[in-house]
Amino acid sequence: MKPADALRRPLTVAVCALVVTLGGATNADPAADAGVDAVVVRVGQSEVRRSELAFLLLRLHEFERRSYGDTPDQVRRGFIEKRLIPELLLAEEGKRLKAGDKPQVRGKIQGALVDALKDDIERDIDHKLTRAELDAYCKSEGGQHDAGTCRGDPMGYRVALRRTRGSEELARLDEQLRKREVKQIDYALLGSLPVDPNTPAP
């Protein structure tokens, strides 16, 4: 889950009844202690789980992190009360008003899903890269490198190899999904749509 960056302004929110199961807070749920991905925050129909919150907290920029507090516990609680809950409240209201049906919102959701899939593919590829593959890729780059130059774990080559293989996987996936998922393209109707606001439709 990725809360919208545009909704970062703080709001005054009553959160007295909210039970936060984070480090520093009392956790009465033995399942959560056992490592289950427990729900930490629930607002309306929205839930944020432990793994999602950990991901969001680790992505905070240092400046933003400091704005929530001086200690880890203050940062956790400040992030929830000042940013996450306000975003979830507005998201719930947006769902109630059917904002998700608007073309610009649907476009952003689709874009976020595409980015998430690309990240997952590249992360999976990165985890499987071996030292031998990195060395071979390093030496293949213009034939300029010998075994000595390619020692260690050259991050630049890891990134390049991950992106190259990610692109190949996306191309393969695109071909596979087109055959299975594309149900309709009405080119006659498409031809009637304007593409320039200053030019009338045909």
Side-chain angles (χ1 to χ4, degrees), residues 136 159 166 184 197:
V159 171
Q184 175 181 341

Side-chain angles (χ1 to χ4, degrees), residues 23-169:
T26 301
N27 187 348
D29 183 1
D33 287 336
V36 176
D37 196 12
V39 173
V40 179
V41 178
R42 184 179 287 108
V43 176
Q45 300 299 312
S46 297
E47 295 180 346
V48 181
R49 297 188 173 274
R50 191 174 187 172
S51 62
E52 295 172 309
L53 192 51
F55 175 79
L56 293 171
L57 287 168
L58 289 174
R59 284 175 61 89
L60 291 177
H61 187 276
E62 182 181 0
F63 176 80
E64 185 181 3
R65 188 166 60 245
R66 288 179 180 176
S67 72
Y68 297 128
D70 298 322
T71 67
D73 191 55
Q74 288 175 348
V75 171
R76 295 183 192 106
R77 293 172 183 271
F79 174 78
I80 286 175
E81 295 180 11
K82 296 178 183 178
R83 177 176 164 190
L84 184 61
I85 288 178
E87 289 180 354
L88 291 174
L89 288 169
L90 294 180
E92 286 294 303
E93 182 65 5
K95 284 191 284 187
R96 187 185 71 81
L97 297 174
K98 300 189 183 301
D101 294 341
K102 295 181 179 179
Q104 65 269 35
V105 177
R106 291 179 61 184
K108 289 180 180 179
I109 293 172
Q110 289 169 358
L113 289 172
V114 169
D115 290 341
L117 177 59
K118 289 180 179 178
D119 287 345
D120 285 346
I121 288 173
E122 287 195 4
R123 190 178 300 111
D124 185 58
I125 289 170
D126 189 72
H127 287 163
K128 295 176 181 176
L129 288 177
T130 66
R131 170 68 180 277
E133 288 175 307
L134 284 170
D135 287 350
Y137 187 81
C138 175
K139 294 174 200 174
S140 72
E141 289 298 290
Q144 303 175 31
H145 308 287
D146 56 24
T149 308
C150 293
R151 284 179 181 171
D153 185 10
M155 272 307 293
Y157 293 111
R158 176 178 284 277
V159 171
L161 186 53
R162 181 180 70 220
R163 288 179 177 172
T164 298
R165 292 191 177 174
S167 178
E168 292 169 353
E169 173 61 16

Side-chain angles (χ1 to χ4, degrees), residues 186-197:
D186 190 332
Y187 286 104
L189 181 59
L190 184 65
S192 68
L193 298 176
V195 295
D196 185 335

